[in-house]
Amino acid sequence: MDERGKPGGKQPNPASGSGDGGTPPPPKDPLLLGPGLPGPAAPVKAHFPFPWNRVALLMPAPVPDAVACISLDDKLWLIELKGEKPRAVEVDDDYVEQVSGGELHAMTPLPGQLAYLQTRGLILYDLKWQKAQSWIVANSLEEAAARGEWVTREPMVVAVELEDTSHYVTDDRTDYRLRTFRLQGEKRVALGAVELGSVKNAVSWDAGAGLVAVQKPGAGLELYGPELGKPLPEHPLALALKKLSVDGLTVQSLRLHPARPVALMALGRETQARGPEGREPEAPGVWRVAWGAEASAPVRLARYATGETATINALSPEDDWVSYTLEDTTKRQLYAQQVGATPGKPLALGAMPVSGVELLWTGGTTSLVMYDAGKDALTLWRLEGQGGAKPATPAK
């Protein structure tokens, strides 16, 4: 038997619908990721209201059936996705100096507020009161914010990755570091910092649930508190990770819940392994780990094959859905799953382009949106209440 539970060397039976050009039959294991998994209803496909060269930033919005957009004419929009055709609704303009200027990076929204980074600052925009508030998160003109995640929402503590070009001219080097801040009214209180080296994206990290997780190349994943002091090797999440890391499994991706003591982690391996005493090795997969007030045994959400790599994307604004991509040397597949206290089964959304697309969640009734700038197109999967009874429709 191979890792997917199929007899080694046995060919598909064309009569079963799994032959060349046919639809793969549903897998016997509902947690095994593959194109034969059930999926939601066919997605809605539509043209984006603006051409790509008018879009400065897309970001998730805590608004039912909508995402937010900043256009290059310094306007903020909500893109409503209630019907078959997206509708752009202007929200505000010129609410900060150069609304669309600089380097823009979307963040997970807060209840009622959009959140994003703009070069050296973090901006929160209150949709009800149409008011923006900003904080500087860089310590010099040579630093620029590249990514931000909430460590906690109450109080507001944020982790920001910064690019430092202080040594670019003299040494042809860009340095990367992670800083945490507590935002109190108009004040910003620096909490801690961790150096991330001088290779872009070499260090993986995430923040949430009062923790910051950092994984440097060739090293194990380390957990820190908001102050980024000493690592926390005895934290329940660290202990659970150690217990799950068997048979050559290592962390491929980790996502911390922004508000609750919950983490999602993908553990995989590149080459086949043998389990102790001749048993089958533990299969790669995605797990849900909870601790503290929600403590429970780790729950496997999905499984996949050796040689495949899973990446866990952002949680939905209501924090109960997640999407992840699974790729090998030939393809990249997209999945979504309800990941609350009683998780649902993974849903197959189809093939996903390797580059050039963005994924965003809507608020309210859960929908996942894929924006393809090259085609000025949106693909929208409505997931709320989906039982996954139909085969996935590929995202072309």
Side-chain angles (χ1 to χ4, degrees), residues 57-61 66-70 76-79 114 360:
L57 179 69
L58 275 183
M59 51 189 157
V67 296
C69 174
I70 293 176
L76 174 64
W77 306 78
L78 285 179
I79 309 300
L114 302 172
L360 306 96

Side-chain angles (χ1 to χ4, degrees), residues 2-3 19 41 68 73 80 121 126 142 175 229 260 264 309 313 322 332 344 359 368 376 383:
D2 68 12
E3 188 171 18
D73 54 359
E80 295 184 346
D126 190 301
E142 288 77 23
D175 296 316
R260 291 162 50 197
L264 307 176
T309 300
N313 304 313
V322 76
R332 190 183 192 205
L359 294 171
L368 182 65
D376 293 329
L383 299 174

Side-chain angles (χ1 to χ4, degrees), residues 44-335:
V44 175
K45 296 176 181 289
H47 286 290
F48 194 71
F50 307 128
W52 67 269
N53 56 4
R54 280 192 61 192
V55 178
L57 179 69
L58 275 183
M59 51 189 157
V63 176
D65 302 310
V67 296
C69 174
I70 293 176
S71 56
L72 286 172
D73 54 359
D74 291 338
K75 293 183 178 181
L76 174 64
W77 306 78
L78 285 179
I79 309 300
E80 295 184 346
L81 304 169
K82 298 176 182 178
E84 294 296 315
K85 183 177 180 181
R87 175 173 174 261
V89 178
E90 184 176 342
V91 176
D92 208 344
D93 63 357
D94 297 324
Y95 53 88
V96 294
E97 186 177 355
Q98 296 183 337
V99 171
S100 62
E103 298 181 24
L104 303 176
H105 301 279
M107 290 181 57
T108 301
L110 297 178
Q113 299 182 91
L114 302 172
Y116 63 97
L117 301 170
Q118 184 175 36
T119 309
R120 301 177 61 239
L122 185 154
I123 295 176
L124 286 181
Y125 184 88
D126 190 301
L127 289 164
K128 179 180 180 180
W129 300 104
Q130 293 186 296
K131 181 180 179 181
Q133 188 172 9
S134 63
W135 297 264
I136 297 296
V137 293
N139 285 358
S140 70
L141 293 175
E142 288 77 23
E143 284 188 338
R147 178 188 168 195
E149 300 288 349
W150 299 107
V151 182
T152 61
R153 292 174 176 173
E154 292 292 341
M156 285 196 299
V157 177
V158 65
V160 180
E161 181 177 344
L162 295 136
E163 298 181 354
D164 182 357
T165 57
S166 299
H167 300 95
Y168 186 77
V169 174
T170 57
D171 302 326
D172 192 25
R173 187 183 87 223
T174 299
D175 296 316
Y176 301 88
R177 63 182 55 92
L178 188 63
R179 288 207 181 100
T180 51
F181 304 93
R182 183 170 62 250
L183 308 180
Q184 298 177 315
E186 297 180 354
K187 296 181 179 180
R188 179 213 74 174
V189 178
L191 299 180
V194 169
E195 294 297 319
L196 302 181
S198 56
V199 178
K200 188 177 180 66
N201 296 327
V203 177
S204 301
W205 69 273
D206 196 39
L211 298 171
V212 178
V214 178
Q215 186 170 26
K216 297 181 179 180
L221 186 140
E222 293 184 321
L223 298 176
Y224 296 86
E227 295 79 16
L228 296 178
K230 294 182 179 180
L232 307 172
E234 299 302 314
H235 188 279
L237 176 57
L239 297 177
L241 175 59
K242 184 177 180 180
K243 187 175 182 180
L244 291 171
S245 300
V246 297
D247 302 335
L249 295 178
T250 59
V251 177
Q252 292 180 334
S253 183
L254 181 138
R255 183 67 61 176
L256 291 164
H257 195 288
R260 291 162 50 197
V262 172
L264 307 176
M265 59 178 70
L267 301 175
R269 58 174 168 258
E270 294 183 2
T271 58
Q272 187 59 275
R274 287 184 177 275
E277 300 178 357
R279 70 164 174 78
E280 286 293 315
E282 188 72 37
V286 181
W287 279 265
R288 181 185 191 273
V289 178
W291 62 94
E294 300 189 30
S296 61
V299 176
R300 182 189 279 274
L301 300 174
R303 72 180 79 244
Y304 51 93
T306 291
E308 295 178 323
T309 300
T311 300
I312 303 173
N313 304 313
L315 285 151
S316 63
E318 282 73 27
D319 310 322
D320 57 352
W321 280 82
V322 76
S323 73
Y324 37 86
T325 54
L326 186 69
E327 55 189 307
D328 57 20
T329 56
T330 61
K331 62 184 181 302
R332 190 183 192 205
Q333 299 287 326
L334 179 64
Y335 301 88

